[in-house]
Amino acid sequence: TLLSSLGLGTTLTFASSHWLLAWMGLEINTLAIIPLMAQHHHPRAVEATTKYFLTQATAAAMILFASTTNAWITGVWDMNNVSNPVASTMIIAALALKIGLAPMHLWMPEVLQGLDLLTGLVLSTWQKLAPLALIIQTAQAIDPLLLTALGLMSTLIGGWGGLNQTQLRKILAYSSIAHMGWMIIVLQYAPQLTLLALLTYIFMTSAAFLTLKASSATKIGTLATVWSKSPILTTTTALVLLSLGGLPPLTGFVPKWLILQELAKQSLPLVATVMALAALLSLYFYLRLCYAMTLTISPNTTTSTTPWRVQTTQASFPLALATVMALGLLPMT
């Protein structure tokens, strides 16, 4: 029931052109993921669930308020003409809070850190779709300066925030914030690039989360012990992380390359330069993970004999598919 509601809530938001229906889809979506987040009954998970619920409820209430204001002033509930600047600014603020764009990003690392890896994967991929669809539909009504500021802040904060982390889920949360910034920055010039960036981000993040799930690693320290258990997985993971950082010839280079090209084409060299430098910040902490995984041997000895092949109950097909997609999509450009 919960999973189907999760899917249908997002689908409802996709299919709606009326603000009330979109709001209802977001609300169903939130209510469906709450029990999934709290299912382990761990105090940390419950805390993360509460934080998530409060932020999402606030954002949903703001969306409802802004769309009602818009309907009150203009007399229409349609999405494609939010002509009132107050309403459009409130809507983008609420949607930014929903997907965790800086400066409304503070809940994201906290919440992701409290969840298990699969729910975290759902939170950082599927939960982004509905708000992003709404952002894309209303982007034309929003002040371009505001969108650019949101995008730049998110990439910079996503890069800086992840530098000092040791927890993998927090690192992935900051990486998610940075990627969302890349999506938002190009939205007003080429929305199709936003969708392309979202697609590649989903592949790369899925590969990263499923790998961590396969080796059940949540800290950088655990990554150093993975090489003895599954050497091939270690190799592909290092590549997936570099792909997340956006290095050619991997998939992650595609959106960055096209977005920087588009920004240069729109004669925004300064913005493009700042974005490229912010990508370096993110690259640093991905490289840290690669280094810990492939170039170090863990100093602490394990008490048990190290198994060369661990038995895992996880299906290997999604991991293999996501990894291939995260490594090999560059030729499609």
Side-chain angles (χ1 to χ4, degrees), residues 263-276:
L263 288 174
K265 211 186 294 178
Q266 300 284 353
S267 65
L268 296 164
L270 194 62
V271 175
T273 310
V274 176
M275 294 297 280

Side-chain angles (χ1 to χ4, degrees), residues 177-201:
I177 294 167
H179 279 278
M180 290 293 141
W182 279 90
M183 285 172 219
I184 296 298
I185 198 92
V186 78
L187 178 57
Q188 50 199 335
Y189 310 112
Q192 63 273 26
L193 285 186
T194 301
L195 288 174
L196 177 75
L198 176 65
L199 195 68
T200 49
Y201 161 74

Side-chain angles (χ1 to χ4, degrees), residues 94-110:
L95 290 170
L97 177 62
K98 264 202 176 298
I99 61 170
L101 282 172
M104 283 76 93
H105 65 287
L106 290 161
W107 60 272
M108 179 92 193
E110 292 295 319

Side-chain angles (χ1 to χ4, degrees), residues 32-206:
I33 199 168
I34 295 276
L36 291 174
M37 292 166 95
Q39 66 184 341
H40 291 297
H41 300 299
H42 190 280
R44 186 68 185 83
V46 175
E47 179 193 339
T49 312
T50 313
K51 286 177 180 170
Y52 182 76
F53 171 71
L54 290 173
T55 52
Q56 299 298 307
T58 311
M62 273 176 74
I63 289 172
L64 194 58
F65 179 53
S67 51
T68 315
T69 310
N70 185 54
W72 182 39
I73 292 170
T74 60
V76 281
W77 280 94
D78 268 3
M79 273 182 205
N80 44 22
N81 50 1
V82 187
S83 50
N84 183 27
V86 179
S88 67
T89 307
M90 279 189 60
I91 283 171
I92 188 68
L95 290 170
L97 177 62
K98 264 202 176 298
I99 61 170
L101 282 172
M104 283 76 93
H105 65 287
L106 290 161
W107 60 272
M108 179 92 193
E110 292 295 319
V111 168
L112 208 56
Q113 180 56 33
L115 307 178
D116 73 303
L117 291 163
L118 286 182
T119 322
L121 170 62
V122 172
L123 183 71
S124 26
T125 55
W126 184 254
Q127 292 298 95
K128 304 283 191 223
L129 296 180
L132 260 170
L134 294 183
I135 291 180
I136 289 172
Q137 283 181 66
T138 52
Q140 301 315 315
I142 298 162
D143 180 19
L145 187 64
L146 180 62
L147 277 178
T148 310
L150 279 173
L152 279 174
M153 274 196 75
S154 298
T155 39
L156 285 167
I157 286 179
W160 263 313
L163 292 184
N164 238 353
Q165 302 294 338
T166 55
Q167 301 286 340
L168 297 179
R169 285 166 293 188
K170 281 198 176 174
I171 288 182
L172 282 167
Y174 281 111
S175 126
S176 167
I177 294 167
H179 279 278
M180 290 293 141
W182 279 90
M183 285 172 219
I184 296 298
I185 198 92
V186 78
L187 178 57
Q188 50 199 335
Y189 310 112
Q192 63 273 26
L193 285 186
T194 301
L195 288 174
L196 177 75
L198 176 65
L199 195 68
T200 49
Y201 161 74
I202 285 178
F203 283 139
M204 296 182 298
T205 310
S206 308

Side-chain angles (χ1 to χ4, degrees), residues 48 87 190 237:
T237 310

